[in-house]
């Protein structure tokens, strides 16, 4: 039986009401604390150097650190032993790390009975040991077990807890992840989700009297809190924020904490991220890989538009990223000097759809507020929803106020890094009703695009590395794979800059290759473009003639690797094809090198060009609702609307390829395109960001490399209603992750042998409501299918919706007879799932919101 750490799933009693302050302070005397806190949101990867190194720096450095690990939250000692192992890898002497005997329960993976440790928390020997430490770390699991282990039955602090407070006041660092983060504040959130908190914890009358058996059958969990350990005295902390969509429950908890909401922020820490608290400077620094949501509830008000349910208005939402700082005393923010304001300089201009489910582009909170809202000049307001299977729920409305702003920079190469401040959020009761759409008023247009097939080459010796976009400079597995396929560090590589409007991405990729060992003199940015580049004295639009340069074609034939950077894929094809659509001499040379053993690679737009039919525009809702368009208007069409197709370069001959798949939620547009223009006996492939699909032509096999996954769409058994567009049954969806492989001709999936099957061995057993948008957990498709369906014994099917105004689609994901899941830990103790052959039905619907 696999063992994983999860927050406690049992029911707790709600300890607060709207009119009663939540809890008394855990510690009154907190002035002059010299120590620091490292509060991690869960899912911290072993490779997350920034968090580990910050923790050890605050502990006195790896040579001097003396660390005590408190295992109490977990049901096993595995996570504590793994954290100790990680600290040793980061340079701490093993003898300087102790797993402290603090627990109120037995551990399942040992011979001893650790429940006896509860009696040792007042032992002088233990408190003496703690007083010799420079750091204490709380592992994840169930936060109530930590508190119960360190407090006496009368609620007083044990000697062990007093010792922890003593070293904290004198300068030690206290850290924790997941449950170990929840215990940090006075008000400790112990259970609930956003919908449950809103329905049952802000003066609402609905379902107030629920016994434990009934409670376990519900689709949502009410908020529950109790007294935390109070190391952080300046607001409530929640964890797993973005992945489990807990902003709603944090808002309710903070609103109910009347004594806190006027003077303190509330903080929601994302996974693989930490807020580092410097008590002396009264500042919090964000460290890690995602962000920290910050809520200002000081002007929030209760609204009641129905007799049963209430809502909240005028909540201020901010989202801070690594390197940002928060002055919790002044309630102000500080940003690195290289971040630029977006206000008045917004990069995007498109009409973003409401965030309604797993087909929503940028469908997690931070990404949605960044791309679809704050950095989008077309958007003054935006909205999302959360509701149960009966449609009872809330509309979440976001609005730009005068003090709303965004801050942007690149990170890890050319990944977008956003900070967001002061977005107004209102949460209003709504009822959403869905009915089958019997007679659609939408005008669905079939594609007029027709592309003659590229010549089939049975003897291609070269390979492809197709990256889904946002490729991090630190993604060593992808870079090293490309370099290996190109012949190693002696590789001769040409970079095609045509997709971009400037040279930054080409220069960055060259710099990255050099860092990974390729000689700079063996890398050249090729003069291929049909447009001018910003920031140069040369007019690169003159390079269009180079596509038929014999000299450049000859140079290309001498390369062992060619890389296409991201941007606009139509600019690549326009730079390599003649006006009559024929291949230029340089494109013929690229084919020559590819057939003879070179690797062709590309990211984003450089991935889109790889298949014969190139997806160049549109989103899932637009493709399903309106079909296809013959016009293309650059950025707007890339971000939404009907699908737009052009002829690609055809290097990948085994199906369609789409990119930015997870972040831009493109499953719907890939399905529509594969149904209309694809070969139904072939798979269609959606590649996540920071991930690559490595194509071995001789072995007819694909391998996943990187940090995300690849979604496989199989339409071989699909049933469609030809009289009603986008009415599909029995689409088969698989999601594979690094180490997994698939045969391109037989479609056989080979799962990484280190993973174990979930079938008849499901870890979860919960009733799941629909995935509805930004307040629904697991908003990315692969995680939604993994946690809520494949690894959930109660789930036979799960639903999500995508809609705009009164039209949309119901998405039903079902376990098929062939469905299976495969699970393992990766990068420490992060869940890694592969999913095989989930069935998807898509049904057009009418939507009524009241």
């Amino acid at each position: 039986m696999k063992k994983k750490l999860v927050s406690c799933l049992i029911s707790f009693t709600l300890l607060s009401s709207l009119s009663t302050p939540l809890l008394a302070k855990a510690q009154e005397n907190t002035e002059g604390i010299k120590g620091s806190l490292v509060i991690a949101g869960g899912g911290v990867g072993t490779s997350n150097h920034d968090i580990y190194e910050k923790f050890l720096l605050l502990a006195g450095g790896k040579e001097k650190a003396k660390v005590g690990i408190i295992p109490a939250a977990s049901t096993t000692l595995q996570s504590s032993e793994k954290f100790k192992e990680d600290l040793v890898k980061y340079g701490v002497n093993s003898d300087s790390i102790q797993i402290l005997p603090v627990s109120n329960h037995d551990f399942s993976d040992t011979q001893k009975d650790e429940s006896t440790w509860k009696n040792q928390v007042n032992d002088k020997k233990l408190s003496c040991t703690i007083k010799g430490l420079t750091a204490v770390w709380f592992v994840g699991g169930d936060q109530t077990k930590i508190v119960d282990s360190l407090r006496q039955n009368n609620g007083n602090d044990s000697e062990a807890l007093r010792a922890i407070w003593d070293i904290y006041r004198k300068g030690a660092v206290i850290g924790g992840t997941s449950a170990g983060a929840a215990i940090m504040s006075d008000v400790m959130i112990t259970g609930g989700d956003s919908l449950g908190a809103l329905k049952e914890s802000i003066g609402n009358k609905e379902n107030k009297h629920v016994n434990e058996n009934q409670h376990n059958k519900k689709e949502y969990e009410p908020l529950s809190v109790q007294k935390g350990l109070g190391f952080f005295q300046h607001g409530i902390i929640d964890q797993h924020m973005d992945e489990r969509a807990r902003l709603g429950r944090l808002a309710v908890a903070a609103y109910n904490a009347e004594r806190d909401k006027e003077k303190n922020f509330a903080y929601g820490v994302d996974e693989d991220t930490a807020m580092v608290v410097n008590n002396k400077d009264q500042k919090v620094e964000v460290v890690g890989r995602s962000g920290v949501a910050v809520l200002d509830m000081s002007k929030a008000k209760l609204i009641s538009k129905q007799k049963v349910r209430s809502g909240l208005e005028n909540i201020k939402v901010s989202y801070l990223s690594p390197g940002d700082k928060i002055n919790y005393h002044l309630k102000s923010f500080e940003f690195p000097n290289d971040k630029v304001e977006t206000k008045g300089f917004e990069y995007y201009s498109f009409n973003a759809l409401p965030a309604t489910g797993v087909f929503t582009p940028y469908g997690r909170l931070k990404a949605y507020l960044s791309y679809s809202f704050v950095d989008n000049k077309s958007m003054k307001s935006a909205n999302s929803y959360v509701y149960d299977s009966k449609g009872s729920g809330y509309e979440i409305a976001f609005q730009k106020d005068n003090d709303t702003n965004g801050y942007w920079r690149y990170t890890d190469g050319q990944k977008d890094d956003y900070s967001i401040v002061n977005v107004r959020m209102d949460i209003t009761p709504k009822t959403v009703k869905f009915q089958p759409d019997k007679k659609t008023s939408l005008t669905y247009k079939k594609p007029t695009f027709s592309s003659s097939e590229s010549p089939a080459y049975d003897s291609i010796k070269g390979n492809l590395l197709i990256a889904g976009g946002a490729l991090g400079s630190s993604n060593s597995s992808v870079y090293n794979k490309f370099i290996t396929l190109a012949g190693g560090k002696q590789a001769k590589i040409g970079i095609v800059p045509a997709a971009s409007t400037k040279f930054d991405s080409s220069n960055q990729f060259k710099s990255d290759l050099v860092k990974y060992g390729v000689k700079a003199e063996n890398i050249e940015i090729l003069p291929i473009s049909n447009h001018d580049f910003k920031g140069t004295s040369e007019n690169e639009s003159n390079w269009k003639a180079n596509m038929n340069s014999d000299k450049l074609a000859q140079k290309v034939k001498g390369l062992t690797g060619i890389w296409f950077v991201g941007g606009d894929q139509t600019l690549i094809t326009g730079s390599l094809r003649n006006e009559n659509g024929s291949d230029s001499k340089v494109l013929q040379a690229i084919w020559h090198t590819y057939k003879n053993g070179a690797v062709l690679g590309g990211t984003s737009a450089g991935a889109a060009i790889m298949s014969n039919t190139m997806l160049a525009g549109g989103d899932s809702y637009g493709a399903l609702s309106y079909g296809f368009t013959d016009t293309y208007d650059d950025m707007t069409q890339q971000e939404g609307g009907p699908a737009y197709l052009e002829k690609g370069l055809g290097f990948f001959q085994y199906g369609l390829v789409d990119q930015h798949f997870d972040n831009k939620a493109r499953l719907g547009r890939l399905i529509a395109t594969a149904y209309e223009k694809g070969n139904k006996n072939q798979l269609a492939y959606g590649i996540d960001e920071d991930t690559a699909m490595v194509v071995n032509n001789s072995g007819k096999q694909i391998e996943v490399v990187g940090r995300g996954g690849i979604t496989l769409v199989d339409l071989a058994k699909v049933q469609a209603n030809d009289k009603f567009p986008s009415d599909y049954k029995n689409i088969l969806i698989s999601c594979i992750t690094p180490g997994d492989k698939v045969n391109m001709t037989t479609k056989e999936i080979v799962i990484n042998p280190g993973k174990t099957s979930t079938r008849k061995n499901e870890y979860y057993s919960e009733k799941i409501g629909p995935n509805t948008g930004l307040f629904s957990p697991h908003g990315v498709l692969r995680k939604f299918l993994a946690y809520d369906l494949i690894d959930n014994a109660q789930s036979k099917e799960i639903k999500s919706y995508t809609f705009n105004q009164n039209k949309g689609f119901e998405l039903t994901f079902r376990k098929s007879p062939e469905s299976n899941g495969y699970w393992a830990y990766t990068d420490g103790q992060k869940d890694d799932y592969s999913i095989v052959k989930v069935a998807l039905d898509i049904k057009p619907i009418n939507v009524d919101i009241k």
Side-chain angles (χ1 to χ4, degrees), residues 624 656 667-685 712-720 728-734 747 837-838 840-842:
L624 293 171
L656 296 169
L667 179 61
R669 86 167 189 178
L670 182 59
I671 289 169
T673 305
Y675 181 79
E676 298 287 0
K677 300 301 297 181
N679 180 341
K680 294 180 180 60
N681 292 317
Q682 294 179 327
L683 297 172
Y685 304 83
L712 310 174
V713 176
D714 189 345
L715 298 183
K717 298 179 181 179
V718 71
Q719 301 169 31
Y728 299 109
K729 291 182 180 179
N730 212 36
I731 302 164
L732 291 181
I733 307 293
S734 300
K747 300 191 285 189
K837 295 185 178 179
V838 166
L840 168 62
D841 302 334
I842 300 176

Side-chain angles (χ1 to χ4, degrees), residues 472-491:
S473 295
S474 64
N475 196 327
S476 58
S477 58
V478 172
Y479 278 93
N480 287 331
K481 190 72 172 182
F482 180 73
I483 292 168
T484 299
L485 293 173
K489 295 180 180 180
Q490 302 302 316

Side-chain angles (χ1 to χ4, degrees), residues 40-84:
V44 177
T46 300
S47 64
N48 196 326
H49 298 85
D50 291 346
I51 291 179
Y52 278 94
E53 289 174 358
K54 177 66 77 170
F55 179 70
L56 292 177
L57 176 67
L58 294 171
K62 59 187 178 182
E63 294 85 6
K64 297 181 180 180
K66 296 183 184 300
V67 184
I69 302 170
I70 293 183
S74 183
T75 58
T76 71
L77 281 180
Q78 181 181 5
S79 52
S80 298
E81 290 167 346
K82 184 66 177 66
F83 187 70
K84 178 176 180 177

Side-chain angles (χ1 to χ4, degrees), residues 300-466:
K301 296 179 181 178
L302 186 72
I303 55 175
S304 182
K305 296 189 175 182
Q306 297 184 11
K307 292 181 179 179
V308 174
R309 286 179 285 126
S310 302
L312 293 169
E313 65 180 358
N314 206 23
I315 302 165
K316 284 295 183 78
V317 180
S318 300
Y319 227 110
L320 283 295
S321 297
D324 299 342
K325 293 184 179 180
I326 306 159
N327 187 312
Y328 53 76
H329 177 65
L330 299 177
K331 295 179 76 173
S332 62
F333 306 113
E334 299 174 14
F335 303 100
N337 292 332
D338 60 343
K339 279 192 173 176
V340 296
E341 293 187 36
T342 63
K343 191 171 185 177
F345 305 95
E346 291 85 356
Y347 182 78
Y348 295 95
S349 182
F350 66 95
N351 292 319
L353 292 174
T356 57
V358 294
F359 273 19
T360 300
Y362 313 115
R364 298 312 313 148
L365 180 69
K366 182 183 177 185
Y368 188 80
L369 292 181
S370 300
Y371 295 100
S372 294
F373 190 58
V374 171
D375 201 17
N376 187 344
K377 68 181 70 174
S378 297
M379 301 294 290
K380 302 299 181 187
S381 61
N383 61 323
S384 182
Y385 298 89
V386 62
Y387 45 84
D388 61 22
S389 58
K390 296 180 180 179
S392 173
Y394 298 83
E395 178 184 73
I396 302 102
F398 300 101
Q399 181 178 309
K400 289 179 181 175
D401 282 348
N402 291 334
D403 56 351
T404 302
N405 206 343
Y407 299 84
W408 170 91
R409 67 175 174 183
Y410 278 135
T411 186
D412 192 16
Q414 290 197 311
K415 291 184 179 180
D416 291 324
D417 176 32
Y418 281 101
S419 305
I420 301 149
V421 297
N422 296 324
V423 171
R424 174 174 168 151
M425 180 174 71
D426 299 331
I427 304 171
T428 306
K430 295 285 183 180
T431 299
V432 184
K433 292 185 178 180
F434 303 110
Q435 296 291 335
D437 189 354
K438 300 296 186 183
K439 187 176 181 180
T440 184
S441 60
L442 299 176
T443 303
Y444 182 93
K445 182 180 179 182
K446 285 186 170 288
T448 58
F449 165 81
S450 108
S451 172
S452 57
E453 292 296 319
S454 293
Y457 296 98
D458 294 328
S459 58
I460 295 176
K461 297 178 182 178
N463 301 288
L464 299 172
L465 189 147
I466 309 173

